[in-house]
Amino acid sequence: MEAHISGVMAAPNGSRMKVKILAARQADSFPDKWLLELEIIDSQPVRGGVFATPGETREGFTFRSAWDLPLPAIVEAEAEYIGGPQGGLFHLTNLQPSQ
């Protein structure tokens, strides 16, 4: 499956993703924001377009009070692609370790 990014903005969209978090670093401006390097394992659309292809490495972020997952970590999460045709980030919420 290929990422389907058209010439319009991505919002609103949502998907259920399984990702491997390769790296996480705390954002400079917000202590609870974590910047992530992700390897996409699977992405299932919930609403809107598909913006991830399994096997690709992408950037994202999440909000957590502290980073408590050993890296690399495989998780399942709700994801929203924020950006446009030139690029963007995935906002991950409800991270759960993958079974």
Side-chain angles (χ1 to χ4, degrees), residues 5-41:
I5 301 176
S6 65
V8 297
M9 294 303 286
N13 71 82
S15 59
R16 184 78 186 152
M17 296 177 75
K18 183 175 184 179
V19 300
K20 181 188 290 186
I21 300 175
L22 303 170
R25 70 176 178 83
Q26 198 169 26
D28 294 333
S29 53
F30 301 100
D32 62 343
K33 184 176 183 179
W34 294 86
L35 306 175
L36 309 172
E37 180 182 352
L38 313 168
E39 179 183 323
I40 309 300
I41 297 171

Side-chain angles (χ1 to χ4, degrees), residues 2-82:
E2 294 183 23
H4 303 285
I5 301 176
S6 65
V8 297
M9 294 303 286
N13 71 82
S15 59
R16 184 78 186 152
M17 296 177 75
K18 183 175 184 179
V19 300
K20 181 188 290 186
I21 300 175
L22 303 170
R25 70 176 178 83
Q26 198 169 26
D28 294 333
S29 53
F30 301 100
D32 62 343
K33 184 176 183 179
W34 294 86
L35 306 175
L36 309 172
E37 180 182 352
L38 313 168
E39 179 183 323
I40 309 300
I41 297 171
D42 188 40
S43 179
Q44 300 298 318
V46 175
R47 67 184 178 284
V50 175
F51 297 94
T53 301
E56 67 184 1
T57 301
R58 303 292 294 272
E59 294 180 353
F61 67 95
T62 193
F63 292 96
R64 297 172 76 88
S65 57
W67 192 261
D68 57 356
L69 297 173
L71 297 175
I74 297 178
V75 301
E76 295 183 22
E78 295 173 21
E80 178 183 13
Y81 180 76
I82 301 171

